[in-house]
Structure formats: C-alpha cells, structure tokens
Amino acid sequence: MTRVRAYRFRAYPSKTTAGVLKTQLEVACKLYNTLLHAEQKEYEENKRSMSENELRQLALDLRKQNKEFQALHSQVAQQVADRFYEARQRFLDGVANKPRVKKPHRYLSLVYPQSGWKLSNWREVGQGKNKKRRARLRLSKIGFFTLIIHRELPLEQVAQVCVKLYLSGRIYIIFVVEDAEPLGQTLEQPKNAVGVDLGIARLATLSDGRFLGNPKPLERSLERIRVLQRTLSRKRFLSKNWLKTKRKLAKEHEHVGDFRRDLFFKLGALLAEEYDVLVLEDLNVQDLIQKGVTKKRRLRLHDSAFSEIRRILEWEFVKRGKTVLAISAYSSSRECFLCGGINQNLSLEDRIFNCPHCGFTLDRDLNASLVLLRRAGWVPSAVPVELRPIPPLPSLGLKKRRQGGALKQEAPSVRAG
Ligand SMILES: [Zn+2]
C-alpha cells in the first residue's frame, strides 16, 4: 500500500518572486473560473460534462490562445484543470457543494505535478541542535525560493510540489511524497489500552487519570483570536483595513495551528510509547457544535483541532503497528462508569459527574474516557473510586514563541486546572 506524506517547509522568496507568485495565483484563479464557465456552457448546450482529459486539453488550449495564461507553467495549468475536475467529481459524488466561481483572495496554491521544479545549492546552516539544511528551489516560471529543510526529505519519492501562500502572507512549499515502505507490524497481543476523551476545557483526558490542558501560550493566542474576530466584523468586507485584520487573524490562527500540532505529536508519541491500544470516541464534531448553540463561536475555534488531534494520535499509533479503536461516544459522558446508569441531568457546564443511581462521583471527562475504554472491552488497571485531583501530563517540551530573538524553552506548560 502506498501512503502519501506531505513535507512542508517555509519558503523565503525575493520580493520580485513573491510578486510573481501572487500574479500567477490570480491568473490560475482566472483560468479556473474560465474552465468553470466553459463547463457550464457545455452542460447547458449539450447536457454533458467534460471529461478530465477534455478539461486538461481545454486548459492547454486556453493557455496557447491567451498570453496571460502563458505566465503559468504548462503542467501547472493542467493541474488547475485537475483541481476543477476533482471539485466537480466531489459534487457529483454528493460529498461537496457545486464548484463555484473562485475569488482571487481564496485561490492560494499552485501545484507542479512532475517537472518544473529543481532543488539546488544545498548548504548546512545553524549550529549544534539547530543544524539544518538550506536549499534553493527553482519553480519554473515563478522564480527562486530559499527553503529551510528542517527534516529529512526523501527527494527521489517526491510526486508533487505545491507552493502555497497562506493568508498571513507566509509562503510554504509542500512536497508530496509517495511512500511504499510498510507500516510497523501489528502487535498480536496488545497488553494495555488507554481511553482518550477529547474536550474543550481540557484538550485530552486519559483513562489513567492524566490530562492535557490548554497551555498558557495557546490560551493567550485563542484570546487574541477572539479580539481580532470582533475587530474584523466591524470592518468593511474586502476593504484595506479588513484585509489587514484578516491577515493578522490568519497569522494568529496559523500560530495556534502550529502550536497545537506540535503538542498533539508529542502527546501521540508519548501515548504510543506507553500503550498498545488507543481508544477514541467516534466523535461527531457537528453534534457537539449544535449542542452548544450559545457557545457556537467559542466552539468553532476548536472544531478543526478535534479532527487534527485524532488524525495525529491515530498516526502515531498506526506508525508503530499499534491499534486504534473508534468507539461510539453516544452519551458516553452521561453514562456512569461504575454502574452503567445514565445521568440525564448532566449539562455541558458540569465538570463533575455525579451518578444519581450509585452515587459515584468523578471528574466528568475522566468518567467519559473510562466509559470509552470499557466500551472497547478493556478494564482500566486501577479503578478510581473517588474524586481526586487528576494530574497533568509531564511537560511535553513546549516551545515558547520567540521573544527577543532567542527561542526559550518553557518550564512544564501543562498545568492542573
Ligand atoms: Zn453509577
């Protein structure tokens, strides 16, 4: 089985190159919309949809006829057709909305499928622990980017190169690698299992009583996002100030994303080292959002994090040949771990679970993670009998945001509370 992996590196272009990239994104967006209109016309006139090859050919023809489109590398132009084709297929398969006219400020990436890119000028930079490699990437028709290659990149397996402009103005290059190497062997006799309850007040609560809270830097970022969102809503859509705030907001969002990803990978590695089986709730984020209508805004900040933490935890286990079980979370937070009774009166705000049937009292999320574990057919090694303060996970080695130029290591950032 081939797996697809993405290697993302920050890219630093010259001012000219950055300008060229922006223009090309606009051109690609225009090409996309031209294809969309051509397809609509074809459908109205002949009641048929164009095939992938027809769309690709059309993109190439348009490029031949139109000087503006010639700014794009031919394969990049073809890939624009592929992108439209895939969007349309998703619509026909019923999993997405009908492809619409794209707005230039939302068309943000170009893909070089096979050729048109080259890495050169490899150089070692930094010292000691910070040793990295630097390279120059040439994207045909766009220009040169300096890349900091902070991790090993299997160059021979690169199938695609994507250049992406983030809303914050940062540029990243994503190498898509096709990986044929098999995953770890699945363990025949898993010895232990951990249930994980994902939440908002705490990011993750483990059935062994440990938890991962929102670290301070993350909370600060989330607060900044709330403020910026309010500011943005007061600006006129697409005005200069709106764009400026939007960019600031995007930067903060990207920061939160990076921070969380780093945290989740560390948590995943830690759990996958200790446990053979990971039990997760088969969580429907939509449900959760609907349940907390009044807190919709607050929850929206978190919903993407839910799918990401799941994806990363799963990956860390599967990579090591360990098992991941997704268990129905249907009223798992209202079920009593001890007697199985349902606590109908438990609301989203209650942090403590009080069983009306047997009197069992436990932290709400801990109870939920234990219920999950039991539903998966596992018994926790030590059954908690009373409410006790649950300990946070040991420091996951979080990095603090750059301050005064130096990257400082923060002391245990995962706190009780
Ligand atoms: Zn009970």
Side-chain angles (χ1 to χ4, degrees), residues 222-264:
L222 291 173
E223 183 49 39
R224 263 196 295 268
I225 285 177
R226 263 168 231 139
V227 173
L228 281 169
Q229 237 147 18
R230 271 199 296 275
T231 317
L232 185 73
S233 67
R234 286 194 294 263
K235 308 279 185 225
R236 193 160 44 80
F237 183 58
L238 288 185
S239 69
K240 237 184 189 160
N241 280 321
W242 185 88
L243 285 169
K244 215 160 123 189
T245 313
K246 185 86 182 164
R247 198 157 50 236
K248 261 193 207 155
L249 188 60
K251 209 172 213 165
E252 210 56 59
H253 268 299
E254 282 163 31
H255 178 70
V256 166
D258 290 346
F259 190 91
R260 275 206 181 117
R261 216 174 358 263
D262 182 50
L263 193 64
F264 295 163

Side-chain angles (χ1 to χ4, degrees), residues 336-341 353 355-360:
C336 170
F337 165 71
L338 209 60
C339 73
F353 181 90
C355 179
H357 309 282
C358 70
F360 182 62

Side-chain angles (χ1 to χ4, degrees), residues 339-391:
C339 73
I342 299 288
N343 181 354
Q344 290 294 358
N345 299 322
L346 194 80
S347 75
L348 259 179
E349 284 72 34
D350 292 333
R351 300 313 314 155
I352 305 294
F353 181 90
N354 257 316
C355 179
H357 309 282
C358 70
F360 182 62
T361 302
L362 195 66
D363 175 83
R364 174 217 180 90
D365 298 336
L366 180 53
N367 177 67
S369 67
L370 284 162
V371 169
L372 279 178
L373 193 64
R374 198 188 49 200
R375 284 187 188 176
W378 286 86
V379 182
S381 45
V383 180
V385 288
E386 55 179 327
L387 180 69
R388 56 190 162 99
I390 52 179

